Each structure stands twice: as structure tokens, then as C-alpha cells.
Amino acid sequence: MTGDSLRARARPAVTDAGLNATVGAATRHLTTERIKAFEELANGEELRVSARSVRERTLARLPELLGLLADRVEAAGGKVFFASDGAEACRYVIEVARRRGAHLIAKSKSMVSEEIGLTPALERAGLEVVETDLGEWIVQLAGQPPSHVVAPAMHLNRRDIAGIFARHGAEGIGDEPTVLTAHARRELRRVFLSADVGISGCNFAVAETGTVCLVTNEGNGRLVTSVPPVHLAIMGMERVVGTWAELDLLVSLLARSATGQALSAYTTMVTGPRRPGEVDGPEEFHLVVLDGGRSAALGGAYREALHCIRCGACLNICPVYRQIGGHAYGSVYGGPIGAVVSPLLCGDEFRDLRLASSLCGACYQVCPVMIPLQDLLLQERRDAAGKAGRAERWLWRLWARAWGSSRVYRLSARVARWGARLLPGRWVPRWGAGRDLPHDPARWGRREKGRPGGA
Amino acid sequence: MERDRFLARLSASLAEARPRANRAHPAVVCDEVVPAVYRRSLEDLPLAFCEAATREGACVRRVTGPPGVGELLAEVVRSHGVRTAVLSGDPETQGVARELQALGVRVLPWDGPHAAAEADLGVTGAVCAIAATGSIVVAADRAGGRTASLLPPVHLALVPEQALVATTAGLWREMEGFFPRGLPSQVVVITGPSRTGDIELILTRGVHGPGHLWIGILGAGGPDRSMG
């Protein structure tokens, strides 16, 4: 989305005290809620271990499960479209909308649709698209991308939001969250009742029955799947699960990890369009299954990134995300998982996101499916190091050899002690700016008598 | 892209995969799909349900027989100044229309979403209720469908006590038992009223769905059918 570097994008974010305060408070709150939600379980850790296994088995059987899913969706009266990339997916959605003579599309939150730029594509085709998740609607009105996979407007405070609403015709309603929310309810209710097509994402799809499962709190997910005459769901192909037992496990983990709820307000399970005898619901149901770089990732070193269930817990705990917020990542996927999946799904320009990590591993500790994110980020750095110039590699090799000997190490440490005052700031300005050398480098990493564990 | 080609590409990618073992954080193989186990006791299902649902922001009442249902309806109507209502045709809502009319509430004839959007109150039954999470489960194959529990600002669900299960596993791992003739086009697990935290993570109720959720747990035997 941007040609500039991570460093350039992060710089204004780091010094934006308002942003730091808003994002910091929100992420700390969600982290605390998550901990509380797991405390009511006697086997939270066991669930994570089981979920990691489930995700691994699922990906290994992906072609079979997707085939079964498609069969079952079709048996329930739905249509399935397999899209090899975002452009193909967008074309299909436009085709469906045109065939129905649609003008207005009500959309609930879907990260995949952000990933493929569905809304701009539909708008270019002359359709009006309204985001109906409150946070998504706010950022849509503001002309911004979402900054968090679960809370898209996390970077905005109530005054920002009141200002955005005021610019769109709601002046003088103040900045009380309940009033702002009531305004959104009124405005969006009209959209739900007159929309020609409802578009939703898909948190999970259960292959054995052909069911799309949506996890939402506001009810907009229920509305877009219930009121307009056409419901179109779009999913990344890794969102499939084999059985309802697996869904039980993963939904329990998703809601707890995302917002600290045992379950979100609405867990909606859609199997095909309205049936004969049912009083409401859409006449048509379409499921778009997107590859978009996923099949390549499946065979690569970062396959585990496809285990992600998009709960956002790793964003909330990440010291880097807390500092810079979502927009500085430049990708629709921010935080530790975003740093890993963005180059896989959104393009090579996001390779530098591997640097947006302290490698502290807190992300792995909270991940409901135990993706070893810090290992994947390290692997990316290793891959990048492999592309370093010959001189640079030769230099590092020499350094490794030298510090392998304790005599050379001590000698260099002694030199460093003298150099310490000069070195960081002046010689390596960028690296040194954030670091001070220990004041007695001769002791680095050495065990000393009487000091267990060394200095 | 054609389905077969799409899936063939996946299979090819999987066949080429040389997954690297992660020595730092190896995966533990676990064949069982482990269900959640709660620290607190769920033995008394109605009690556990009432506690959890109340915590989620629902108003829960345990009622017995038609007089109990009548009192609950009166409380709901009074609390929200209800003037119009839509009803599902579930067995649990038999007789509710007459009670509401006696309370001066106009029961709107069902014509799909637009009637539901006009109503102050939607009354439905439920397929089951989950004690651990305080959730109720509604299904689209019952009259009232998708929108009677969704569009009005107040939703009242009447749930027979026998329909209580302990945890989500009691629903999701028993789907066939609940829907022996196959799944209806939509099933929703409802946990508390509609909510959002999208503005400064401040909990705000009733953003798109009902802002008020009332649940009546119907004591053993369920409502008296003769009421209708």
C-alpha cells in the first residue's frame, strides 16, 4: 500500500503520544480480559496444544476438506467459487451483484476482503458498499484502512470519531460512545433493510456439513446474512475445519483470545440459502474460497502462519504493536502475525516487517494455536541474511570465529571498553541511537567466581 | 478458477512441502480434540446458566407454568414500554400472543424482516441453552426465523429447562442430535445482548441487534399448552 519503509512509517507513530495512549490502553485492556477468560478453564493450555494439532492436521488434508466443503455447500443449495487470486474473487462478486441488478451492498467485517481490496473493486464497478461493523464503518468514513484485525478503529478515540461523524452529517451529537453508537445503529439499519447483497467473511467453515461460521458481537454479521436477498461469504481457504468438534475447540479459543469472552455475542452458522418453509433469509448463497498466495505458503517454510485464526491476541501483547499501532505496518495484517503473513499473502514489499519485532516471544505465549511466531520471524531474518553481500557475510564469519576464542573475546572487550564512549552514537548512528554498551564490556556473558549465572 | 485445478495446485504444493521441524518449539501431537473444562461446577445447570447469562448482560427469570410466563411478559412490557411485538411460532411461545394482547401489546402479523423491524419486542423459543456460557440457541427453521430475535430492540427467549446443556460441547459435538433432519439454513448461538467495544473499547449495548435480552427458563414440564 505504501512505497516507503517500515522505519519511515513507524517514525511518526512512535512519537504520536495520543496514538500511543489510545492503542496502549486498548491492547492492555484486551490482554487482561484474555487472561481472565482463560482463568475460568481448568485446561486452557491443553486446549492450545490440541488446537495446534488440529490446525496441522487440517492443513495436511486441505484439498480433501475443501472438496468436501464445496460438495456440502452445493448440496445445501449454495454456490461455491474457487478464486486463485484476489482479482478473480473480486470479478466473481461483481458478476453476482450485476446479475442481481444490485446497487447497494452491506458488508460485515472480513479481513480477506481487505486483503484483496474488495470494497474499492466493487466501488470501481459502480456499486455502493457500506461497511456495517461499527469500527469498520468509522474507518471507512474516515477513508482509512483498519488498524487491528479485531478492533479496526482501535487507533481512534471518541473525539476523533465524533469528528468523523460530524464531517458526515452528524454534527453536534457530542462524543458519548452510547450516542455515537446509537447514531450508527440508525444510519446502518436503513442500509441493512435496503441492501441488495450482503457480504460477510468466514471465521471457520465446517466441511462435514458445508457450514460457514461467523463470530461477531454487534449483530451486523447476522443482519448481512439474513436480510438482503443474496448472501455472499468470502474465506481464505485455510479457514476450513473438518468437524463440529474441531469448531467447538477453535471457537472457544477464538472468542477468549480475541476479546476475553467465553463466546462472542453471536456465533452464526450458515448452511446454504433459505429453505422452503423458512420465513426469512436470502434466496442465494455464495461461498468464495480464496487462494491468494496460500497454496504457495502451504509448501513453504512459513506454513504454520496459515494456522492463524485471526484473534489478534499477538497484536495486543506485542511491545512493537503497542508502540506503533497497526497502520505503521502498512499492511492490512499488522502485529507479529502480520509481519509473517503479509509477505506471503500481500506481496514482497512487506518483507521488512520481520524487523518490527523484539523477538521476545510473547506472541507465541498467547497464540491460541501456538504458532511459534518468533521462530518464523527469525527464519525470515535468516533468509534475508542469506541474501546479504559477500563482504558482509565474510565480516560476520570473521567476527564469529574471533569471539569463539576466549582470549580474543577478552581482548576485544577491553578495546570495546575504550571505544564504548565513542562507538554507538557516532559510528553506527542508527543502531547505536537506541543502545548503550554496558559500562564494563569485559564482563559480557562471562561466568565469574561467586556470581552464579555470571554478570 | 476451476475447482479441480484449484485443488490440484494445493495437492502439488503439499506434496512438495518439506516441513522443517521446529526444534525450539516443537509441536506436540494430540489426536484428541479436547473440550473445554471449567473450574467452577456446572452441576446445577439452571443455576449455572442464570449466573453466566446474567454476567453476559441478559435478564434471566426462572418461571413455572402459564402464570409465570404471564408475569415475565408483563415485566418485559413494563420495563421497555413495549407497544408492538413479533412472535415466532415455536412451541414455547404458544399462548404468548393472547397474553401480550391482554397487556395491550399489538402483535404484528409475520411478513418477514420488515414486520420484525417495526416491532418493539421479539419473542422466540430456543433449541437449547448452554449453562457455562449463558447462551441460547435459535434456529431459522422454526417460525420466527432469523429476524424475530434480531431486529427488535428487545428479545425475549423462552427456553424449557430440559433444553439446557453444560458446555458448548453439548451443542457443537451433538449437532446431529439437535438437528436429526439436517441443519437449518441458519443457527445462532446468542450470548448476551448485541454489543460493541469499537469506541475506546467501552462496552456499548444494542449496536445492531437487540440491546436487551430477556431469557425465561421454563420450569420442568414447560409451558402449559392449554394456555394457547
Side-chain angles (χ1 to χ4, degrees):
Chain A
M1 111 182 193
T2 40
D4 51 6
S5 66
L6 167 70
R7 191 172 297 277
R9 290 190 305 266
R11 190 171 295 128
V14 169
T15 51
D16 183 339
L19 178 79
N20 298 160
T22 308
V23 173
T27 50
R28 276 192 300 275
H29 175 77
L30 286 172
T31 299
T32 314
E33 293 298 305
R34 179 197 159 275
I35 292 168
K36 279 196 256 171
F38 274 91
E39 272 170 0
E40 70 167 359
L41 298 180
N43 64 344
E45 275 307 294
E46 216 186 316
L47 295 186
R48 293 173 69 223
V49 170
S50 176
R52 186 178 183 180
S53 261
V54 163
R55 293 300 288 148
E56 222 164 55
R57 286 201 296 272
T58 302
L59 290 193
R61 295 171 55 206
L62 207 49
E64 173 202 338
L65 290 174
L66 286 174
L68 179 63
L69 174 70
D71 288 344
R72 294 292 152 88
V73 170
E74 282 163 6
K79 290 201 174 67
V80 181
F81 180 73
F82 287 94
S84 75
D85 57 23
E88 225 177 84
C90 292
R91 269 202 305 278
Y92 180 79
V93 179
I94 291 167
E95 215 173 274
V96 170
R98 288 222 169 111
R99 186 170 46 71
R100 296 284 311 197
H103 300 288
L104 178 62
I105 295 181
K107 205 172 145 292
S108 72
K109 214 169 91 57
S110 149
M111 288 311 294
V112 166
S113 74
E114 298 286 341
E115 177 189 322
I116 64 174
L118 180 60
T119 299
L122 291 169
E123 285 171 347
R124 280 195 300 274
L127 293 151
E128 188 189 348
V129 184
V130 180
E131 294 285 353
T132 59
D133 173 87
L134 177 58
E136 286 281 349
W137 189 55
I138 291 167
V139 294
Q140 185 184 32
L141 291 178
Q144 296 174 358
S147 72
H148 188 282
V149 291
V150 172
M154 179 186 271
H155 60 291
L156 299 169
N157 63 32
R158 63 179 79 185
R159 285 179 302 283
D160 301 329
I161 294 164
I164 292 163
F165 283 4
R167 282 198 295 284
H168 289 84
E171 279 172 65
I173 61 169
D175 61 7
E176 257 315 299
T178 48
V179 176
L180 296 171
T181 304
H183 168 69
R185 180 184 171 104
R186 272 194 309 277
E187 292 290 313
L188 293 171
R189 186 50 78 92
R190 280 205 293 275
V191 173
F192 290 122
L193 291 175
S194 54
D196 306 298
V197 177
I199 296 181
S200 76
C202 165
N203 290 97
F204 302 105
V206 185
E208 65 176 347
T209 53
T211 304
V212 164
C213 177
L214 297 168
V215 175
T216 69
N217 269 314
E218 299 182 357
N220 62 320
R222 291 180 72 190
L223 283 156
V224 301
T225 63
S226 300
V227 182
V230 179
H231 170 210
L232 197 147
I234 175 161
M235 66 182 274
M237 66 177 191
E238 81 284 9
R239 287 344 206 39
V240 72
V241 298
T243 64
W244 284 94
E246 293 174 358
L247 181 95
D248 178 39
L249 170 66
L250 292 173
V251 168
S252 304
L253 284 168
L254 173 61
R256 287 193 168 84
S257 305
T259 49
Q261 295 169 279
L263 282 180
S264 300
Y266 303 117
T267 308
T268 308
M269 294 153 275
V270 175
T271 313
R274 170 184 184 173
R275 309 272 165 79
E278 291 180 357
V279 294
D280 50 17
E283 300 151 22
E284 285 182 36
F285 171 73
H286 300 259
L287 177 62
V288 177
V289 183
L290 174 75
D291 184 324
R294 287 164 175 80
S295 59
L298 202 59
Y302 304 101
R303 184 206 277 199
E304 276 188 286
L306 296 180
H307 291 184
C308 174
I309 60 173
R310 305 278 187 272
C311 69
C314 65
L315 281 64
N316 301 332
I317 197 96
C318 177
V320 177
Y321 183 92
R322 284 182 174 187
Q323 201 63 39
I324 65 176
H327 285 160
Y329 289 82
S331 160
V332 297
Y333 299 113
I337 186 64
V340 180
V341 297
S342 296
L344 302 174
L345 307 181
C346 308
D348 272 344
E349 67 267 36
F350 296 111
R351 292 231 171 270
D352 65 348
L353 293 188
R354 67 179 184 272
L355 301 171
S357 167
S358 67
L359 299 178
C360 66
C363 40
Y364 171 67
Q365 300 298 328
V366 298
C367 176
V369 294
M370 299 179 83
I371 302 170
L373 284 158
Q374 73 280 28
D375 300 332
L376 297 179
L377 286 163
L378 257 180
Q379 183 60 42
E380 287 211 43
R381 294 187 188 193
R382 236 176 258 130
D383 289 354
K387 293 180 198 120
R390 187 183 290 182
E392 189 181 340
R393 267 190 286 170
W394 182 79
L395 214 67
W396 283 112
R397 209 170 295 148
L398 200 72
W399 171 76
R401 169 93 48 98
W403 274 25
S405 134
S406 73
R407 265 196 27 228
V408 182
Y409 174 81
R410 268 200 303 270
L411 186 71
S412 69
R414 212 162 294 148
V415 175
R417 185 158 39 170
W418 293 103
R421 273 171 238 137
L422 302 172
L423 192 97
R426 275 185 221 171
W427 289 11
V428 265
R430 194 181 269 182
W431 184 84
R435 292 171 172 86
D436 289 313
L437 285 177
H439 103 149
D440 188 1
R443 283 202 185 139
W444 293 354
R446 286 176 57 210
R447 281 174 191 284
E448 288 181 18
K449 252 189 197 164
R451 298 185 65 181
Chain B
M1 193 178 202
E2 203 189 313
R3 165 178 163 168
D4 292 342
R5 268 202 302 144
F6 183 98
L7 296 180
R9 183 162 79 172
L10 278 189
S11 302
S13 182
L14 275 174
E16 280 168 26
R18 298 276 172 274
R20 223 177 312 206
N22 184 334
R23 269 172 301 184
H25 303 94
V28 181
V29 178
C30 168
D31 289 328
E32 192 198 349
V33 182
V34 178
V37 176
Y38 287 77
R39 287 186 199 279
R40 65 176 184 276
S41 163
L42 300 171
E43 211 163 304
D44 185 341
L45 290 179
L47 182 70
F49 177 84
C50 290
E51 282 174 4
T54 305
R55 205 172 47 233
E56 296 294 346
C59 299
V60 192
R61 301 285 182 271
R62 293 177 75 170
V63 297
T64 329
V69 174
E71 276 166 37
L72 173 57
L73 287 168
E75 189 185 357
V76 174
V77 167
R78 207 175 42 240
S79 304
H80 303 287
V82 171
R83 283 183 301 187
T84 52
V86 284
L87 296 186
S88 76
D90 296 320
E92 297 85 26
T93 59
Q94 296 276 317
V96 167
R98 188 180 298 174
E99 288 280 339
L100 283 173
Q101 277 154 359
L103 290 162
V105 175
R106 198 155 59 87
V107 178
L108 303 176
W110 182 260
D111 75 342
H114 290 271
E118 294 295 308
D120 300 325
L121 168 69
V123 187
T124 70
V127 176
C128 84
I130 303 165
T133 56
S135 314
I136 53 162
V137 182
V138 297
D141 61 340
R142 294 173 145 214
R146 307 182 181 213
T147 47
S149 58
L150 175 61
L151 289 169
V154 185
H155 174 208
L156 165 64
L158 299 171
V159 195
E161 202 177 290
Q162 313 90 280
L164 277 166
V165 298
T167 67
T168 55
L171 169 71
W172 280 323
R173 297 180 191 231
E174 308 292 338
M175 288 297 266
E176 273 188 44
F178 282 104
F179 306 102
R181 287 172 299 148
L183 290 177
S185 70
Q186 194 190 61
V187 179
V188 187
V189 179
I190 299 175
T191 311
S194 156
R195 54 184 277 176
T196 185
D198 275 348
I199 301 176
E200 294 184 3
L201 289 187
I202 291 163
L203 176 65
T204 311
R205 298 219 160 104
V207 55
H208 293 307
H212 304 277
L213 174 63
W214 289 77
I215 303 170
I217 300 288
L218 309 176
D224 185 348
R225 295 289 161 82
S226 67
M227 223 173 85

